[in-house]
């Protein structure tokens, strides 16, 4: 279980919303994500995590060329997914500047 | 002492019918069940090819091989046929192989089959053919990959790829002189199995031993990751492909991605199909053929030759 703080809660809420928008993933909630460390703990497989990131890239207006292979090991953990999402946010912001 | 060995007469034939991914009924449900979004551009979903009998494609490919390699049928001493899957019993398979060889008047002393390592079978066949040449048992080994007519529509949609039908053929030879523009020297081959992975399905996020496996093969070839012009690997869904090849150590410019959506995953045939579609490189360019399949790994390091001369 990860330590709670307001910024982390905000990120987790965003992640919950985004996961629940993906109809190919099992629905989840904030409590479940807070209690979990690995994406598998909330029913998301490694392939599902890849799909989640791919979908987030598309949401942010980026294409598949932005998929960084170094992300793969991170996707096993929820904190890793959050880090990847933040990096995607930064890249998307950079393209808008 | 090992001899110089060459890859010549490379040819492929895709399944006779091209179909689009959307023609597979329920594909979005199948992808959803595998926790994958139906995002065609990002996954690399596009066409796939279907045949009733891949030995028809293989027969055509072998004909092209003999012509482009400039080899007489009686110069083929060994034949290796490989497939990832087959619905044929031995006798039927044997009959089809014989029919193919009779068509082109090829009468090898030795015929072998390679199976059991999925998409790595073709690279395993190159390794086996190279050994036959090294031992002096053959000057020309014809390698044929026959992939297809095994899966239902729904069965073609895996959680990492869209399966397609094709056949590939080429010759592993001790003679470099050829008018074939797609002549390559085989610098190294390696096949390994990681028993902690075998039988456990496809591991997308595993980081080792892939990186060291390819590096070891390149070292044997006297090469390095930086010197590789292109890596020709499995045509699996784009994020998995770029992820896996990236984890091995290849950068994006080294990856050949075009055929993921153009041909789909033709199992063991992918690396050679990609090599051919890439086109002729500058003489001396070094390429890697790479395949992996549920704990099995295969790598071949090639150097582009100039036609009409030995490297």
């Amino acid at each position: 279980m990860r330590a709670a703080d307001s910024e982390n809660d905000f990120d987790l809420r965003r992640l919950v919303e985004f996961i629940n928008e993906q109809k190919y993933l099992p629905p989840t909630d904030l409590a479940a994500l807070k209690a979990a460390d690995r994406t598998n703990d909330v029913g998301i497989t490694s392939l599902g995590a890849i799909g989640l990131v791919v979908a987030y890239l598309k949401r942010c207006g980026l294409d598949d060329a932005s998929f960084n292979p170094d992300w793969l090991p991170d996707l096993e953990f929820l904190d890793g997914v959050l880090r990847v999402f933040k990096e995607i946010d930064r890249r998307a912001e950079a393209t808008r500047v | 002492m090992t001899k110089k060995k060459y890859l010549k007469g490379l040819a492929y034939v895709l399944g006779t019918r091209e179909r689009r991914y959307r023609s597979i009924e329920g594909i979005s449900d199948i992808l959803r069940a595998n926790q994958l979004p139906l995002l065609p551009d990002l996954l690399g979903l596009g066409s796939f090819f279907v045949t009733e009998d891949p030995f028809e494609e293989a027969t055509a490919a072998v004909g092209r091989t003999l012509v482009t390699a400039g080899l007489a049928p009686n110069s083929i001493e060994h034949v290796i046929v490989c497939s990832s899957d087959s619905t044929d019993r031995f006798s039927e398979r044997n009959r089809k192989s014989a029919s193919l060889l009779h068509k082109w008047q090829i009468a090898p002393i030795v015929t072998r089959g390679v199976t059991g390592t999925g998409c790595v079978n073709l690279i395993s066949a190159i390794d086996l053919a190279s050994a036959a040449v090294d031992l002096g048992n053959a000057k020309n080994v014809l390698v044929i990959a026959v992939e297809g007519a095994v899966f239902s529509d729904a069965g073609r949609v895996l959680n990492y790829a869209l399966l397609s039908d094709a056949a590939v053929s080429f010759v592993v030879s001790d003679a470099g002189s050829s008018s074939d523009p797609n002549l390559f020297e085989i610098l190294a081959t390696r096949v390994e199995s990681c028993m902690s992975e075998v039988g456990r399905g496809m591991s997308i996020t595993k980081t080792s031993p892939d990186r060291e496996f390819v590096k070891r093969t390149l070292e044997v070839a006297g090469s390095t990751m930086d010197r590789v012009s292109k890596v020709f690997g499995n045509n699996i869904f784009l994020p998995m492909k770029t992820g896996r090849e990236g984890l091995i150590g290849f950068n994006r410019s080294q990856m050949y991605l075009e055929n993921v959506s153009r041909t789909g995953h033709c199992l063991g045939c992918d690396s050679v199909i990609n090599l051919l579609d890439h086109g002729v490189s500058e003489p001396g360019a070094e390429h890697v053929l790479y395949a992996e399949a549920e704990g099995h790994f295969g790598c071949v390091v090639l150097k582009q030759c100039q036609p009409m001369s030995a490297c």
Side-chain angles (χ1 to χ4, degrees):
Chain A
M1 185 180 297
R2 65 183 51 70
D5 58 55
S6 60
E7 182 178 335
N8 201 43
D9 271 13
F10 172 71
D11 291 335
L12 286 177
R13 284 197 193 92
R14 285 180 60 209
L15 183 56
V16 167
E17 278 180 20
F18 193 70
I19 288 173
N20 289 336
E21 287 174 19
Q22 314 310 312
K23 301 308 175 189
Y24 53 89
L25 294 177
T28 190
D29 55 40
L30 185 62
L33 258 60
K34 279 188 173 182
D37 283 324
R38 294 172 180 267
T39 46
N40 214 28
D41 293 341
V42 292
I44 299 175
T45 64
S46 56
L47 286 169
I50 291 173
L52 186 68
V53 169
V54 162
Y56 195 67
L57 280 169
K58 187 174 174 68
R59 165 69 63 85
C60 294
L62 300 172
D63 64 21
D64 70 298
S66 304
F67 189 94
N68 186 343
D70 291 336
W71 291 340
L72 280 184
D74 284 341
L75 301 186
E76 193 176 345
F77 300 95
L78 288 168
D79 281 345
V81 172
L82 289 173
R83 278 196 301 273
V84 169
F85 274 32
K86 284 185 178 176
E87 186 175 334
I88 292 172
D89 288 341
R90 285 194 294 273
R91 290 188 184 198
E93 186 61 35
T95 64
R96 285 192 282 268
V97 171
Chain B
M1 179 181 293
T2 60
K3 299 178 180 180
K4 279 201 171 186
K5 296 165 290 288
Y6 301 90
L7 219 59
K8 59 171 71 169
L10 291 152
Y12 76 83
V13 178
L14 299 173
T16 47
R17 283 187 298 133
E18 179 177 2
R19 292 175 53 190
R20 296 292 293 172
Y21 70 93
R22 284 197 182 277
S23 69
I24 295 178
E25 190 175 331
I27 186 170
S28 58
D29 293 333
I30 298 170
L31 290 173
R32 186 181 301 122
N34 286 296
Q35 294 194 1
L36 289 171
L38 185 59
L39 295 173
D41 290 343
L42 289 178
L43 290 180
L45 279 171
S47 293
F48 65 103
F49 292 79
V50 177
T51 181
E52 296 299 318
D53 184 356
F55 269 89
E56 292 187 6
E57 282 75 11
T59 301
V62 169
R64 295 180 193 177
T65 289
L66 292 175
V67 169
T68 57
L71 288 172
N74 62 6
S75 67
I76 304 293
E77 297 116 327
H78 288 193
V79 172
I80 302 174
V81 182
C82 53
S83 294
S84 300
D85 289 294
S86 175
T87 56
D88 292 331
R89 299 288 297 269
F90 161 69
S91 294
E92 181 64 9
R93 184 87 174 183
N94 205 34
R95 183 192 67 75
K96 289 180 179 179
S97 295
S99 178
L100 183 161
L101 296 176
H102 287 152
K103 162 84 176 176
W104 300 114
Q105 299 176 329
I106 297 170
I109 302 167
V110 173
T111 58
R112 286 193 178 94
V114 174
T115 187
T117 55
C119 301
V120 177
N121 286 337
L122 182 66
I123 291 181
S124 193
I126 295 174
D127 189 55
L128 196 60
S130 297
V133 172
D134 274 336
L135 289 169
N137 292 338
K139 292 182 179 298
N140 294 300
V141 181
L142 173 65
V143 176
I144 311 168
V146 188
E147 305 282 19
V150 173
F151 304 99
S152 63
D153 271 11
R156 291 179 181 275
V157 185
L158 302 181
N159 58 9
Y160 58 87
L162 176 60
L163 297 183
S164 191
D165 299 344
V168 151
S169 75
F170 51 85
V171 172
V172 173
S173 175
D174 69 350
S177 55
S178 170
S179 58
D180 183 358
N182 281 310
L183 177 69
F184 297 91
E185 183 182 350
I186 300 171
L187 301 181
T189 64
R190 183 180 292 269
V191 179
E192 285 183 5
S193 297
C194 176
M195 293 314 296
S196 63
E197 281 196 51
V198 171
R200 294 190 178 186
M202 184 75 166
S203 173
I204 295 296
T205 58
K206 191 171 178 60
T207 59
S208 62
D210 300 346
R211 190 190 296 259
E212 296 307 314
F213 168 75
V214 173
K215 276 188 178 175
R216 280 198 299 275
T217 316
L218 286 167
E219 282 169 9
V220 170
S223 186
T224 61
M225 295 291 287
D226 291 343
R227 281 170 51 180
V228 173
S229 178
K230 281 292 189 187
V231 56
F232 300 106
N234 292 350
N235 294 328
I236 59 177
F237 291 147
L238 282 173
M240 291 78 162
K241 181 175 175 65
T242 56
R244 293 294 283 176
E245 292 177 10
L247 282 174
I248 289 169
F250 294 111
N251 60 50
R252 193 87 178 197
S253 66
Q254 292 172 304
M255 300 177 194
Y256 187 81
L257 306 176
E258 286 82 340
N259 278 344
V260 173
S261 59
R262 190 183 85 82
T263 66
H265 181 31
C266 302
L267 300 167
C269 295
D270 280 354
S271 55
V272 170
I273 291 173
N274 295 343
L275 174 67
L276 275 172
D277 283 355
H278 173 259
V280 179
S281 300
E282 289 295 315
E286 294 177 2
H287 301 307
V288 164
L289 305 182
Y290 179 74
E292 55 185 11
E294 301 192 18
H296 307 290
F297 307 91
C299 181
V300 179
V301 184
L302 302 173
K303 182 170 72 171
Q304 178 87 54
C305 292
Q306 269 185 327
M308 294 304 292
S309 66
C311 287

